[in-house]
Amino acid sequence: MKISGQLRKMTHEAGTPIRYFLSLDEKPVPITAQVGNEISLRFLGTITCVECGRKIKKTYNQGYCFPCARDLPENAMCSVRPELC
Ligand SMILES: [Zn+2]
């Protein structure tokens, strides 16, 4: 299976067993069945902001462009208390 999209932090669903998902273009891709198997990830050369989608050269606060990292209310505490972000 070959899939692509904007990669975000993995998500999970509680339960027994816990279920893990890769997040590609904000769609959850079940990955629990791959635990113990080999997978490969390939960077296609494009980085985009997780908020506004613009192409950027580097990210701030784990995925934002500089203006979104600076201006969004949810990022307000990131420079003072980065452990919250
Ligand atoms: Zn942005």
Side-chain angles (χ1 to χ4, degrees), residues 49-54 64-69:
C49 173
V50 294
E51 177 68 23
C52 70
R54 89 174 74 188
Y64 296 92
C65 66
F66 182 74
C68 287

Side-chain angles (χ1 to χ4, degrees), residues 47-61:
I47 303 172
T48 52
C49 173
V50 294
E51 177 68 23
C52 70
R54 89 174 74 188
K55 282 189 182 182
I56 49 182
K57 290 187 177 162
K58 65 176 282 193
T59 63
Y60 299 85
N61 296 348

